[in-house]
Amino acid sequence: MKKNILVIDDQLDLAESVGSFLATNGYQSHYCISTAEAQTLLKKEHFDLIISDVVMPEQSGIDFFMSIKEDLRKNQTSFILMTGDLDSISMQKAYDLGVDEFISKPFDLDDLKNVVGLVLRQADPTIDQQKFFRVSLTEFIQSSANRFDIFLQIDSNFMCLARKGQELSDARLQNYAKKGLKYVYLTAADYTKYIDIQFSISTLVQSKPLEQVKKQKLFTHLTKTISTSAYCEHMNSEIFKKALTSFENYSQIAFSHEDIFKILESMSSEGHDLADHGAQVSFLSTAIAIHWKWTHPKILSKIAMAGLLCDVGLRVTPELFVRNRTQFDPQHVKQFENHPYLSYEILSTIKDIPEEVLLVAQQHHENEGGFGFPQRLMKEKLHPYSRLIHGVSEFFDHLDSAGSKSDIQKALEQLYSFQRKTISLQVIKTLFIIFGIDVPKDMTGILLPYETSRMI
Ligand SMILES: [Fe+2]
């Protein structure tokens, strides 16, 4: 059955044109020029949606909404306000009163169609349902100065909330967050712009069904590896949740890229657990970055990707050797110490891979004392992401068989006692903090790096 919509606007031509546009888009529609007329119509029939102007001579749209609010609730009628001059505070107030949506005048008819579809939860058949990338809504509000095509997922359909260029106010987005919405969705093209990684779009959106299943399987496996790891239980739960969401978001882009997926697949096949290790490093590095408020998507996505991929060079190193390198001869040691070069070589074959990811691949075993490998670089030459990921990898070396909080404490104390000259003290201190373990007294003066503007 067609949804029934009532349009109220004191400008007859506008009421009429909105009414007829809705009628040509599969709705039943009525229009009138005053709320008094609307009252009469409401007595006669049921409407699924009322679209009302705000400023009208006899009664404002907001007053009208308040006067019939109870009936609207009972009859399950939605309410959209059309307005040209409502500031964000008034808009927030109207949302708090219970208005479902706003549409700014003058509006594009396609925007009207999107908002109506959204409120009535009617999917747009022209939207391809396969190509969306998820972004945390709160993170999006904080970070996005750009305007993208923004979609919401409602009843398993992706619906357009705003088209490019349409002013989507923070008040409107915050209203969605308030209502409990956690994510918005972007197209592949916009997502790569959003995280500032310009992968070729064609490789992002073309994937055969079978590969899709493989990808999903590996993605689920890695996410599960992280969330079921014993150390996570002892982590600050707020940071854990944020880091897991970030890891899922940013690894999604990695999985959607054919070349990267092949690399990840090779890291997890034939007895190698390099992808699992990469996922752990990626996740914990992301958690630390979040604690440092390095939450800009450009930063988090690069850290997540670098952590995930930096050990791909070990793919050609015998597994046993990776696990226990001290028992091997100098030739093997050399081979091991060359893996950052190999990682760099493998990753640099990926078109458009971010520069920082390549840098971390080369530098993730360099240390702050200047005697890491393969280049023995001094601290000043190390990229902040490399110092972060190096510290996290070393932490996992100590945590191999640890599960309890005292195991974590022991690993951290070892890091602090024996590697304080080579691992970033900021990383060590943050690990103490996010695992809720008392920071050693002589570390209390160490400042954490909350400044990010230089790195974007
Ligand atoms: Fe490594």
Side-chain angles (χ1 to χ4, degrees):
M1 211 170 88
K2 283 184 178 179
K3 299 273 185 186
N4 199 11
I5 303 175
L6 174 62
V7 182
I8 314 164
D9 197 309
D10 58 313
Q11 283 174 271
L12 177 64
D13 54 343
L14 205 124
E16 199 176 2
S17 69
V18 172
S20 63
F21 174 75
L22 293 170
T24 54
N25 278 278
Y27 298 105
Q28 194 175 331
S29 74
H30 293 71
Y31 62 89
C32 59
I33 56 162
S34 72
T35 58
E37 255 186 89
Q39 291 278 18
T40 316
L41 281 164
L42 280 168
K43 279 179 194 133
K44 284 190 206 154
E45 58 186 292
H46 171 261
F47 289 95
D48 298 288
L49 169 66
I50 297 172
I51 304 174
S52 171
D53 189 18
V54 175
V55 185
M56 292 182 287
E58 288 156 32
Q59 188 182 30
S60 82
I62 294 179
D63 289 342
F64 175 58
F65 171 76
M66 289 310 289
S67 72
I68 57 166
K69 191 177 164 182
E70 267 311 298
D71 293 333
L72 294 175
R73 197 180 54 80
K74 267 187 241 154
N75 300 328
Q76 295 191 311
T77 305
S78 304
F79 200 95
I80 295 176
L81 281 174
M82 293 187 282
T83 171
D85 55 1
L86 211 56
D87 60 60
S88 62
I89 297 167
S90 318
M91 201 184 248
Q92 191 54 58
K93 274 188 193 149
Y95 272 133
D96 292 341
L97 293 173
V99 169
D100 291 286
E101 268 306 349
F102 285 90
I103 178 126
S104 312
K105 275 180 170 180
F107 50 82
D108 186 280
L109 287 172
D110 278 335
D111 291 337
L112 173 73
K113 196 172 100 181
N114 291 332
V115 174
V116 169
L118 210 71
V119 169
L120 295 176
R121 294 175 166 253
Q122 291 197 311
D124 179 348
T126 62
I127 293 176
D128 184 332
Q129 295 290 322
Q130 300 302 316
K131 301 176 184 173
F132 292 94
F133 286 81
R134 192 172 75 174
V135 178
S136 141
L137 180 58
T138 43
E139 185 190 274
F140 187 78
I141 295 171
Q142 282 167 16
S143 64
S144 187
N146 294 309
R147 294 296 171 195
F148 302 105
D149 286 356
I150 300 169
F151 295 81
L152 301 182
Q153 192 176 27
I154 293 175
D155 305 336
S156 79
N157 287 309
F158 291 100
M159 303 179 78
C160 189
L161 173 63
R163 289 283 175 193
K164 215 167 283 172
Q166 186 196 335
E167 195 56 40
L168 184 62
S169 67
D170 280 352
R172 203 168 150 197
L173 284 170
Q174 263 148 12
N175 177 57
Y176 284 106
K178 254 188 172 172
K179 283 182 179 169
L181 193 90
K182 290 201 167 58
Y183 305 103
V184 290
Y185 293 80
L186 303 178
T187 61
D190 280 345
Y191 189 79
T192 54
K193 279 184 222 145
Y194 171 69
I195 66 169
D196 197 30
I197 293 176
Q198 304 295 328
F199 285 137
S200 141
I201 303 306
S202 61
T203 59
L204 279 172
V205 295
Q206 285 171 3
S207 53
K208 296 177 194 85
L210 182 67
E211 296 218 309
Q212 203 55 49
V213 173
K214 272 163 106 183
K215 280 176 191 169
Q216 193 53 46
K217 223 171 132 190
L218 184 56
F219 179 71
T220 311
H221 165 77
L222 292 184
T223 314
K224 212 172 146 199
T225 303
I226 289 165
S227 52
T228 56
S229 294
Y231 72 90
C232 290
E233 276 176 42
H234 310 291
M235 217 167 140
N236 173 297
S237 63
E238 195 64 17
I239 299 221
F240 171 75
K241 276 186 233 151
K242 283 185 184 164
L244 192 60
T245 305
S246 285
F247 172 79
E248 286 174 353
N249 281 345
Y250 299 127
S251 54
Q252 223 184 111
I253 191 87
F255 276 82
S256 306
H257 191 287
E258 289 305 312
D259 295 339
I260 295 181
F261 173 67
K262 278 177 196 143
I263 284 175
L264 274 167
E265 214 189 6
S266 81
M267 288 168 79
S268 69
S269 61
E270 297 165 40
H272 284 263
D273 59 2
L274 289 170
D276 291 28
H277 174 70
Q280 302 281 18
V281 171
S282 173
F283 166 72
L284 196 55
S285 303
T286 307
I288 292 174
I290 287 169
H291 183 76
W292 291 350
K293 300 193 170 47
W294 290 7
T295 48
H296 195 286
K298 288 182 188 181
I299 296 175
L300 280 182
S301 58
K302 285 168 189 169
I303 290 172
M305 201 172 290
L308 194 61
L309 300 170
C310 66
D311 268 334
V312 60
L314 287 175
R315 178 65 184 85
V316 289
T317 310
E319 168 72 354
L320 258 179
F321 173 64
V322 173
R323 286 186 183 282
N324 192 358
R325 56 189 187 253
T326 50
Q327 290 173 6
F328 289 81
D329 59 35
Q331 187 54 37
H332 278 119
V333 173
K334 203 171 165 216
Q335 196 182 352
F336 179 79
E337 295 198 349
N338 267 336
H339 84 264
Y341 283 140
L342 280 172
S343 295
Y344 172 82
E345 265 176 45
I346 295 167
L347 295 177
S348 59
T349 61
I350 299 171
K351 193 170 170 282
D352 306 320
I353 189 105
E355 205 52 51
E356 293 93 331
V357 175
L358 294 178
L359 208 58
V360 173
Q362 280 179 293
Q363 295 187 345
H364 73 281
H365 285 282
E366 298 294 343
N367 70 41
E368 305 210 344
F371 44 88
F373 61 85
Q375 288 181 281
R376 284 156 184 73
L377 291 175
M378 296 308 289
K379 181 177 169 181
E380 307 73 57
K381 297 252 175 174
L382 303 180
H383 191 278
Y385 302 168
S386 307
R387 296 167 60 199
L388 167 58
I389 285 168
H390 171 249
V392 171
S393 314
E394 293 293 324
F395 169 68
F396 278 114
D397 275 357
H398 287 275
L399 198 70
D400 254 5
S401 58
S404 70
K405 192 157 175 170
S406 65
D407 287 338
I408 296 170
Q409 182 158 3
K410 218 170 105 193
L412 284 175
E413 279 163 2
Q414 278 175 2
L415 271 192
Y416 186 51
S417 303
F418 306 124
Q419 287 174 271
R420 57 190 299 172
K421 295 227 158 42
T422 58
I423 296 180
S424 155
L425 289 175
Q426 281 99 346
V427 171
I428 302 178
K429 181 174 177 178
T430 311
L431 287 168
F432 273 104
I433 294 169
I434 64 180
F435 285 112
I437 297 168
D438 288 345
V439 176
K441 276 206 177 65
D442 49 345
M443 278 192 114
T444 47
I446 290 165
L447 295 175
L448 298 180
Y450 290 132
E451 172 60 53
T452 59
S453 57
R454 278 191 316 126
M455 300 189 306
I456 298 171

